[in-house]
């Protein structure tokens, strides 16, 4: 869940009208506090990207999430596939994905649904040549890929979305590699700064 929220917040950071959050109460009927749902991860297009303590649809021009991801477990499986699925369809959530990190409660482990005329229909599952399971999210313009764990993949750039920590680690590894290459060039009497 932390990876998904962080990676999507970075991906949409330059879009002031896209809100990414997770594990946050969404109230969808004013005056009825029991009309609430708390998706693990959600994305709303067309609302200001700012911090909120809760999300109240009537304060957001009745904008509801466009994308929801639930991390399914033994205790949440029946709600994720029953009541929450119904609420998300009622709210008009265009895409609803479920992921079971342990593979014990969902088969397949990663599933996607797309809302068509008020009903959910499965998103096609693709198996890549390396065996990776991939589902396309039209709403996000990304793929959800199940490698060793769930990852978001940008087909336009050919890159996996990283968290801030992963970006820093990758940058450090690239810098260390560049330093090793420069040292090797110097050993060969080649000035790396002249290349």
């Amino acid at each position: 869940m932390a990876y998904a929220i962080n990676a999507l917040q970075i991906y949409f950071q330059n879009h002031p009208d896209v809100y990414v959050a997770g594990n946050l109460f969404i109230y969808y009927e004013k005056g009825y506090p029991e009309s609430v749902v708390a998706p693990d991860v959600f994305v709303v297009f067309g609302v200001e990207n700012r911090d909120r303590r809760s999300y109240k649809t009537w304060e957001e021009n009745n904008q509801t999430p466009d994308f929801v991801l639930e991390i399914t477990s033994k205790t949440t499986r029946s709600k994720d596939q029953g009541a929450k699925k119904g609420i998300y369809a009622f709210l008009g959530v265009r895409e609803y994905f479920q992921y079971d990190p342990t593979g014990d409660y969902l088969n397949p482990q990663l599933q996607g649904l797309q809302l068509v005329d008020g009903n959910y229909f499965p998103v096609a599952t693709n198996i890549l040549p390396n065996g990776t399971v991939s589902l396309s999210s039209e709403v996000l313009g990304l793929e959800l890929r199940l490698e060793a764990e769930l990852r978001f993949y940008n087909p336009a750039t050919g890159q996996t979305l990283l968290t801030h920590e992963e970006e820093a680690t990758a940058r450090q590894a690239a810098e260390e590699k560049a330093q090793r290459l420069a040292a090797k060039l110097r050993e060969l009497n080649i000035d790396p700064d002249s290349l």
Side-chain angles (χ1 to χ4, degrees), residues 18-35:
V18 178
Y19 178 60
V20 177
N23 208 21
L24 186 77
F25 286 131
I26 298 174
Y27 294 96
Y28 52 89
E29 289 186 27
K30 188 174 184 176
Y32 296 92
E34 65 278 359
S35 295

Side-chain angles (χ1 to χ4, degrees), residues 89-160:
F90 169 75
L91 293 176
V93 174
R94 295 187 295 159
E95 289 181 339
Y96 175 36
F97 283 78
Q98 295 175 60
Y99 169 56
D100 175 5
T102 62
D104 294 331
Y105 309 105
L106 288 181
N107 186 14
Q109 195 173 347
L110 175 63
Q111 301 177 12
L113 299 169
Q114 193 169 45
L115 193 65
V116 179
D117 296 327
N119 294 305
Y120 279 121
F121 294 92
V123 171
T125 300
N126 300 307
I127 307 296
L128 304 179
N130 67 359
T132 297
V133 174
S134 176
L135 283 78
S136 292
S137 167
E138 289 180 21
V139 168
L140 300 178
L142 299 169
E143 293 176 15
L144 285 79
R145 290 188 172 181
L146 186 55
E147 296 166 349
E149 57 191 6
L150 177 68
R151 304 296 283 184
F152 286 93
Y153 177 82
N154 185 342
T157 64
Q159 295 181 327
T160 299

Side-chain angles (χ1 to χ4, degrees), residues 4-68:
I5 294 168
N6 193 266
L8 290 173
Q9 285 176 336
I10 293 168
Y11 181 71
F12 288 112
Q13 67 188 347
N14 296 322
H15 298 266
D17 62 342
V18 178
Y19 178 60
V20 177
N23 208 21
L24 186 77
F25 286 131
I26 298 174
Y27 294 96
Y28 52 89
E29 289 186 27
K30 188 174 184 176
Y32 296 92
E34 65 278 359
S35 295
V36 64
V37 66
D40 290 329
V41 181
F42 67 95
V43 179
V44 187
F45 292 91
V47 298
E48 184 182 357
N49 181 11
R50 61 176 173 78
D51 286 338
R52 293 165 172 83
R53 290 179 41 194
S54 64
Y55 187 94
K56 298 172 184 169
T57 59
W58 60 90
E59 292 178 358
E60 306 289 348
N61 202 23
N62 292 317
Q63 291 290 109
T64 58
D66 295 281
F67 172 91
V68 166

Side-chain angles (χ1 to χ4, degrees), residues 165-194:
E165 184 177 286
E166 290 170 329
E167 284 179 347
T169 300
R171 194 171 30 258
Q172 181 179 354
E175 289 170 5
E176 289 171 0
K177 182 178 180 180
Q179 289 172 359
R180 288 193 305 274
L181 287 173
K184 188 64 173 173
L185 288 171
R186 286 188 191 96
E187 286 177 17
L188 300 170
N189 292 320
I190 301 171
D191 179 9
D193 296 326
S194 67

